[in-house]
Amino acid sequence: MAFMDKIVINGGNRLTGKIDISGAKNAALAIVPAAILTKEICRIENLPDISDVSIMLKILNTLGAHVRMINRNTVEIDARNVQFYTVPYEQTKHLRASYYFIGALLGRFGKAHVAMPGGCNFGGVRPIDQHVKGFESLGAKVSIEENAIVNAEADTLFGSAIYLDTVSVGATINIMLAAVRAKGLTVIENAAKEPHIVDLANFLNSMGADVRGAGTDVIKIHGVEEMHGCSYSIIPDQIEAGTYMVAAAAAGGDVLINNVIPKHMESITAKLIECGIEVEEFDDSILIKSDHRPTRCNIKTMPHPGFPTDMQPQMAVLLSIAEGTSIINESVWDSRFRYVEQLAHMGACIKVDGKIAVIEGVEHLKGAPVKADDLRAGAAMIIAGLVASGTTEVENVVYIDRGYEDIVGKLAGVGADIRRVRITDPESRIQIS
Ligand code: UD1
């Protein structure tokens, strides 16, 4: 039903105050399945309350793990009794990260039967060849059935040297999950360096694994026979923080983005400064001050520490109202500009040619009914709504729920005129919730 919900924004308010950042979605989505690797209890704190995490917890539950929510952001996972190795498409179709159950089940039991994952549509295919290459290199037999179930099995996993042909966050994580229980040394070369890779490594090490080098492009893993329970707090979400930084920059105002790791934000901070936004860094917070029209800049998305592709749509909104012409080069995904059509309804002037978008800054956006094409596109629509004159209604809120904990409450808390509207009858009746 949430699919029917809308977020309604009356734009034009300056944003002032403080926004607290939740735990990192993409770290949580790797850490939750990693709890399978031990028979003891893992307590995970600062877990973001988002639908992607709920789905991962449900999958754990179906596999036979006991999942106990201690409060909104803390869970205890007891995977002692996990006895199934199959995750059907009904469960994997909702999100990409469901494929981390392949690595985790393979690591603990030497077998996994997991349907191909769903996830955001960035145009073109989202291959898993590097995951498969990694599992095979560890000694697993991997086959993909006609009905798209990935079967991975091994009597014993053996550490090995794996060079990734492309820098892949998902493949790096999946290989780490399997390799922590392999015999001997695994070396992942050309590994992804995202903050959530480091967070997963820290979580695994606090379970007794021996993972070194996470955050560099060579990760070394000495396999261990047993892993144990732990208590762990997830890092703040880089992309959620970046989204609110850009929202404050675009809408104008004075907003303290609280509970962040400023080092993780460097590529975003640098671009905002280039656009003439005032950014002040503290130990665990960043202050954004913006009171005039931003200036243009160019962006090329890259694996970490480059500018994150998951911030590209939000940044495009800022550049839509910037002075001058900006160019975005999307180098991670084949086509991640579907949202441009929605922004055009609001008066943005963007031309897309393949992986390049040319944005002619306009002075104003105007409110319109738009839809979220995917998670980050949805966040971009909300930022556009904050900036635009008049009312913007964002449909397909279900995508936004996947990755933002209480986005409406957080933005309303800094003065945005934003509310969620629950549509109980698609024909006409509207309920405000
Ligand atoms: C993760 C993020 C996603 C983000 C992306 C890039 C999660 C749950 N999702 O996705 O939000 O946009 O990182 O930062 O963390 N590739 C291959 N073969 C493979 C795997 C990937 O060719 O086996 C390619 C992809 O097509 C893409 C590039 O590598 O062009 C990066 O993909 P990858 O880093 O794997 O992204 P995800 O882990 O799926």
Side-chain angles (χ1 to χ4, degrees):
M1 227 20 206
F3 208 96
M4 306 303 300
D5 287 4
K6 281 183 190 175
I7 289 177
V8 179
I9 306 152
N10 292 313
N13 287 9
R14 272 173 64 81
L15 306 181
T16 48
K18 183 179 84 153
I19 296 179
D20 289 319
I21 298 307
S22 300
K25 162 183 168 283
N26 289 347
L29 297 181
I31 284 172
V32 163
I36 281 189
L37 290 161
T38 176
K39 292 179 187 156
E40 294 179 11
I41 293 174
C42 294
R43 180 185 170 97
I44 304 167
E45 295 172 6
N46 205 29
L47 192 70
D49 181 12
I50 52 176
S51 66
D52 269 11
V53 165
S54 306
I55 294 166
M56 293 298 271
L57 292 173
K58 262 187 212 138
I59 296 177
L60 264 183
N61 213 250
T62 322
L63 291 172
H66 184 65
V67 175
R68 183 163 160 248
M69 288 310 297
I70 305 297
N71 59 45
R72 184 181 186 184
N73 301 109
T74 304
V75 68
E76 283 184 358
I77 298 168
D78 178 352
R80 189 179 349 185
N81 295 325
V82 167
Q83 52 201 323
F84 304 105
Y85 320 110
T86 302
V87 187
Y89 185 65
E90 285 66 48
Q91 290 188 308
T92 63
K93 69 180 178 192
H94 301 287
L95 78 173
R96 199 80 199 145
S98 54
Y99 57 19
Y100 294 147
F101 283 101
I102 308 175
L105 287 166
L106 197 57
R108 164 102 179 259
F109 301 107
K111 53 182 151 188
H113 311 293
V114 178
M116 285 289 268
C120 288
N121 174 4
F122 300 142
V125 283
R126 290 180 73 172
I128 63 160
D129 57 302
Q130 299 304 305
H131 304 237
V132 172
K133 171 176 158 173
F135 297 143
E136 285 179 341
S137 181
L138 295 173
K141 277 187 81 164
V142 184
S143 62
I144 302 181
E145 292 173 18
E146 247 176 56
N147 56 359
I149 299 278
V150 182
N151 295 308
E153 296 203 8
D155 291 334
T156 311
L157 293 172
F158 292 99
S160 120
I162 301 158
Y163 175 83
L164 296 181
D165 299 327
T166 182
V167 180
S168 161
V169 172
T172 304
I173 288 176
N174 237 339
I175 296 166
M176 286 166 75
L177 290 171
V180 283
R181 298 282 302 264
K183 274 195 187 329
L185 173 68
T186 297
V187 181
I188 309 173
E189 290 192 68
N190 201 24
K193 296 181 281 204
E194 269 64 7
H196 37 285
I197 305 265
V198 179
D199 208 35
L200 173 66
N202 289 338
F203 177 70
L204 293 169
N205 286 344
S206 65
M207 295 170 79
D210 183 353
V211 181
R212 299 178 196 194
T216 75
D217 46 21
V218 182
I219 299 178
K220 291 187 178 162
I221 302 166
H222 285 274
V224 294
E225 282 205 1
E226 284 295 323
M227 290 173 70
H228 52 72
C230 68
S231 182
Y232 192 81
S233 181
I234 291 175
I235 52 164
D237 195 306
Q238 175 205 29
I239 305 298
E240 189 200 17
T243 300
Y244 292 123
M245 285 167 71
V246 172
D254 193 330
V255 179
L256 188 73
I257 314 293
N258 193 41
N259 182 32
V260 297
I261 298 173
K263 176 97 187 125
H264 294 169
M265 309 309 302
E266 276 173 351
S267 59
I268 300 160
T269 299
K271 283 294 154 188
L272 289 180
I273 291 171
E274 217 178 304
C275 290
I277 309 298
E278 221 178 294
V279 185
E280 212 176 323
E281 283 183 9
F282 302 97
D283 286 348
D284 61 358
S285 59
I286 294 183
L287 181 67
I288 302 290
K289 283 189 188 171
S290 164
D291 56 12
H292 54 260
R293 195 174 167 198
T295 43
R296 58 155 305 279
C297 77
N298 293 339
I299 286 173
K300 182 172 183 182
T301 65
M302 306 271 279
H304 192 78
F307 190 89
T309 170
D310 288 357
M311 280 302 302
Q312 184 260 97
Q314 302 90 313
M315 201 65 190
V317 177
L318 183 79
L319 300 178
S320 292
I321 52 157
E323 219 168 324
T325 303
S326 308
I327 295 173
I328 295 181
N329 180 343
E330 171 56 60
S331 85
V332 177
W333 297 111
D334 282 344
S335 142
R336 200 178 182 171
F337 291 119
R338 285 195 308 154
Y339 65 87
V340 161
E341 196 184 321
Q342 305 298 315
L343 281 185
H345 295 317
M346 301 179 72
C349 181
I350 308 177
K351 285 199 178 65
V352 176
D353 184 8
K355 292 178 150 210
I356 306 285
V358 179
I359 306 178
E360 300 270 0
V362 295
E363 280 197 32
H364 302 288
L365 295 180
K366 52 183 189 316
V370 289
K371 66 180 167 71
D373 282 314
D374 60 53
L375 167 59
R376 305 303 172 187
M381 292 309 128
I382 290 185
I383 297 173
L386 297 172
V387 170
S389 54
T391 304
T392 296
E393 294 191 357
V394 184
E395 283 185 11
N396 288 2
V397 170
V398 71
Y399 287 120
I400 300 168
D401 292 339
R402 289 186 47 193
Y404 289 91
E405 177 177 316
D406 192 21
I407 193 167
V408 168
K410 289 187 185 187
L411 286 169
V414 289
D417 182 346
I418 181 169
R419 66 195 197 281
R420 188 174 177 125
V421 173
R422 179 139 299 163
I423 301 170
T424 49
D425 177 352
E427 292 300 304
S428 62
R429 275 177 294 141
I430 287 183
Q431 251 183 26
I432 311 289
S433 62

